Amino acid sequence: MKHLRHLTTFGAFALAALAGVAPTPPAVAKDTPNIIVIMADDLGYGDLSCYGATELKTPNIDRLAQDGLQFNQGYCSASTCTPTRFSFLTGMYAFRQPGAGIAPPNATSLIKPGTETVASLLKTAGYKTGVVGKWHLGLGEGDAPDWNGKLKPGPLEIGFDYCFLMPTTNDRVPSVYVENHRVVDLDPADPLWVGKKRPSPDHPVGSDPEVRKTLKMDWSHGHNQTVHNGIGRIGFFTGGEKARWRDEDLADAWVEKSVAFIEKHQSDPFFLFFASHDLHVPRMPHERFQGTTKLGYRGDAIVQLDWCVGELTKTLDRLGLRENTLIVFCSDNGPVLDDGYQDGAIEKLHEHTPSGIYRGGKYSIYEGGTRTPFITSWPGTIKPGRSDKIVCTVDLPASLAKLAGQSLPAGACPDSFNVLDALLGKDDAQGRDHLLQQPNKGPTLALRVGDWKVLSYADAKPKKHLTYEKGPGKHELYNLSDDPSETNNLAKSKPEKLKELLSQLEEIQSAGHSRPDWSEN
């Protein structure tokens, strides 16, 4: 039996009037589900056993899929982390926001206070809102975050009631936790400094040959500046020794804080953004997961991610909340193997295909960059099955606002479509009819309309790199129904279709929004 909440509007106003205070309109006027969005990091379409992986098992995520709706055409909005996270929260394609590429260590808040977000929309609806895990959207304002003071603005200024964060990424400095507005366990006598230049000649960096010999995980490219926990990072930092985390403990910290948030708000409707760092580099899962797969640390990190999902669902079961909780499982972008560290991801790949049948991965606008695992689970409400509807993480603000009974304010979430019925697997539900895809930032973009997809690059040069490749030509055209792996470029043989899609792409770029009723709500 579902655990339902009831609020009587008349009663709330009457009690307030009797008390002689101005009544506050009740935010929750109907039964509402809890919502948990679990966003993996660098997880590909083929990385889970429920999506066809045979070299490892992901039983907890598989259970979500078996009990819920597994999407064959679920997307993130970009093939890199910061843009997807920005779009997921704001409902706006990140290429529209200057500076919304991969955020550097000293980035300040990319989402400004006053911006409507999925968190602010749900908070208005009466939800308690929290984010735990990787942030990578900047903190503070001005030239750099005030690491030794208040890190404001941040998540609490855009709709979250609580946050416990890794402020950047695990391969970028500083390697500390942030809870609400402060670095956790920071000793004022040992201030934290973050910068772009080596602070002193004796500061340990991974590029020093003698230091490199001592690393517990060697770098392959980049990631050779400040050494922390035996691993080179991007950027420089000093101080904050008591505040520093250990890579192996990150997943445990996310689970601990998330469970505490759920327990605290079990009697409220709550929204939790569980922002996993797995399987972002450096892949250094807890010792109990190391060696659990034959795929090396990358495979072990997938198993650790699966454990996290299991801990969250066990908590919901223990508290009797599972049947009143919608879980959305997704990823911020597609997979990458060598992303700067020598961790065996390539050498130990065996028969595993991280992108499934799809071409490309992280940094790419081919399908492998943005088509990722996407699962919705709500026992008793969502019927188990698979869906071919096109849905995207950028649609979660509009869709979850609808679920909570909220209308989108005029001018908010300009690219977020209400695909709630598709997420819930309702009969005759409609998904997206088109979707824009981006890598880190413009001008490279792709547009899918129905089964057709056009890729538009900044130049015509072919590229081949460890983490990124593209074919020759400035434009590519594919029919995904006939050619889901994007191997047959039809740009020359279908010039009219190419022209049509490029015109639509230019229109979406210049319009500033893609949601038709953007200014009418």
Side-chain angles (χ1 to χ4, degrees):
M1 184 175 181
K2 293 184 180 180
H3 295 257
L4 301 178
R5 308 177 183 91
H6 303 274
L7 178 64
T8 304
T9 303
F10 173 79
F13 273 80
L15 287 173
L18 289 171
V21 297
T24 300
V28 182
K30 62 177 183 178
D31 303 321
T32 51
N34 305 308
I35 301 168
I36 300 177
V37 174
I38 302 171
M39 183 173 285
D41 199 320
D42 296 357
L43 184 76
Y45 189 91
D47 273 330
L48 304 176
S49 41
C50 57
Y51 276 89
T54 58
E55 302 291 287
L56 52 69
K57 296 294 183 183
T58 50
N60 294 301
I61 302 172
D62 291 358
R63 197 168 297 114
L64 285 183
Q66 291 161 5
D67 296 340
L69 196 59
Q70 183 175 344
F71 286 84
N72 301 323
Q73 301 189 93
Y75 289 85
C76 52
S77 60
S79 61
T80 50
C81 43
T82 299
T84 284
R85 291 159 196 272
F86 174 89
S87 298
F88 154 60
L89 290 174
T90 65
M92 180 170 74
Y93 288 136
F95 78 87
R96 302 193 192 280
Q97 172 71 30
I102 299 173
N106 260 334
T108 52
S109 291
L110 187 60
I111 305 174
K112 305 304 180 188
T115 304
E116 204 74 73
T117 67
V118 62
S120 64
L121 289 164
L122 292 175
K123 185 172 182 176
T124 299
Y127 279 73
K128 300 299 182 181
T129 56
V131 53
V132 174
K134 173 180 168 180
W135 184 239
H136 207 197
L137 290 163
L139 293 169
E141 57 189 351
D143 296 330
D146 180 7
W147 296 109
N148 299 289
K150 270 198 166 185
L151 291 165
K152 184 179 179 180
L156 273 58
E157 284 65 53
I158 57 170
F160 287 101
D161 296 310
Y162 173 76
C163 68
F164 186 87
L165 311 170
M166 173 168 59
T168 56
T169 63
N170 44 325
D171 65 337
R172 285 169 175 78
V173 302
S175 304
V176 297
Y177 296 118
V178 170
E179 188 167 29
N180 296 330
H181 290 134
R182 300 276 184 178
V183 173
V184 177
D185 294 331
L186 184 62
D187 183 354
D190 184 25
L192 187 62
W193 173 87
V194 180
K196 295 180 180 180
K197 295 182 179 181
R198 190 173 184 173
S200 65
D202 61 347
H203 181 76
V205 293
S207 57
D208 286 349
E210 292 305 311
V211 173
R212 190 172 188 180
K213 293 177 183 177
T214 69
L215 299 179
K216 65 176 164 184
M217 179 177 285
D218 200 2
W219 51 274
S220 58
H221 56 276
H223 303 91
N224 57 11
Q225 295 174 331
T226 292
V227 174
H228 165 68
N229 191 32
I231 302 171
R233 317 278 167 167
I234 295 173
F236 299 97
F237 81 122
T238 63
E241 291 291 340
K242 292 181 179 179
R244 299 188 182 197
W245 44 249
R246 198 178 72 111
D247 299 74
E248 293 88 340
D249 300 326
L250 288 170
D252 284 348
W254 308 149
V255 167
E256 177 188 342
K257 294 297 181 179
S258 295
V259 169
F261 178 84
I262 294 170
E263 290 176 338
K264 181 178 180 180
H265 299 296
Q266 59 184 292
S267 298
D268 306 306
F270 64 79
F271 164 60
L272 172 64
F273 175 27
F274 184 88
S276 174
H277 73 291
D278 285 319
L279 21 150
H280 196 281
V281 296
R283 302 164 186 131
M284 186 56 67
H286 193 276
E287 287 86 351
R288 67 183 183 276
F289 295 109
Q290 294 179 18
T292 54
T293 74
K294 62 180 181 180
L295 302 180
Y297 282 162
R298 186 176 186 276
D300 299 344
I302 296 174
V303 172
Q304 179 170 268
L305 168 68
D306 184 71
W307 171 82
C308 292
V309 173
E311 291 303 298
L312 295 183
T313 54
K314 287 177 186 175
T315 300
L316 296 174
D317 289 338
R318 172 170 57 83
L319 298 175
L321 300 174
R322 186 66 186 91
E323 290 191 351
N324 199 45
T325 302
L326 167 65
I327 297 177
V328 180
F329 179 89
C330 56
S331 179
D332 67 347
N333 50 253
V336 60
L337 296 179
D338 183 348
D339 205 15
Y341 293 95
Q342 298 180 30
D343 62 1
I346 294 176
E347 296 83 354
K348 298 181 179 181
L349 190 60
H350 300 288
E351 302 301 314
H352 187 62
T353 54
S355 296
I357 66 169
Y358 300 107
R359 182 179 180 181
K362 186 176 183 178
Y363 310 110
S364 166
I365 51 173
Y366 294 117
E367 288 293 283
T370 54
R371 191 188 294 217
T372 67
F374 201 114
I375 300 165
T376 56
S377 176
W378 185 0
T381 298
I382 295 178
K383 295 179 181 179
R386 293 191 75 127
S387 174
D388 282 323
K389 299 294 187 294
I390 299 174
V391 295
C392 181
T393 51
V394 74
D395 297 323
L396 291 176
S399 303
L400 297 181
K402 179 66 174 180
L403 180 64
Q406 293 295 301
S407 298
L408 293 180
C413 308
D415 300 298
S416 189
F417 284 70
N418 173 18
V419 293
L420 178 62
D421 287 350
L423 296 176
L424 299 182
K426 292 188 176 181
D427 295 337
D428 301 321
Q430 298 297 312
R432 277 184 161 266
D433 62 351
H434 73 278
L435 176 65
L436 187 142
Q437 298 156 274
Q438 69 173 87
N440 185 23
K441 50 187 176 181
T444 295
L445 295 169
L447 176 66
R448 177 178 178 179
V449 181
D451 290 328
W452 287 96
K453 179 178 173 181
V454 65
L455 292 77
S456 180
Y457 292 98
D459 58 59
K461 297 178 182 178
K463 291 183 174 67
K464 186 70 175 177
H465 187 264
L466 279 170
T467 57
Y468 171 73
E469 59 98 15
K470 71 171 285 289
K474 190 171 182 179
H475 302 124
E476 298 177 31
L477 178 69
Y478 300 100
N479 186 297
L480 296 178
S481 177
D482 301 330
D483 181 24
S485 300
E486 296 169 292
T487 59
N488 184 23
N489 183 3
L490 303 173
K492 291 183 179 180
S493 62
K494 300 284 186 180
E496 291 303 315
K497 177 58 71 172
L498 176 65
K499 181 179 179 181
E500 173 190 334
L501 292 182
L502 287 174
S503 176
Q504 286 184 251
L505 176 57
E506 183 179 351
E507 183 179 347
I508 292 173
Q509 283 182 273
S510 59
H513 67 95
S514 58
R515 181 163 60 86
D517 59 348
W518 171 64
S519 60
E520 300 172 4
N521 293 86

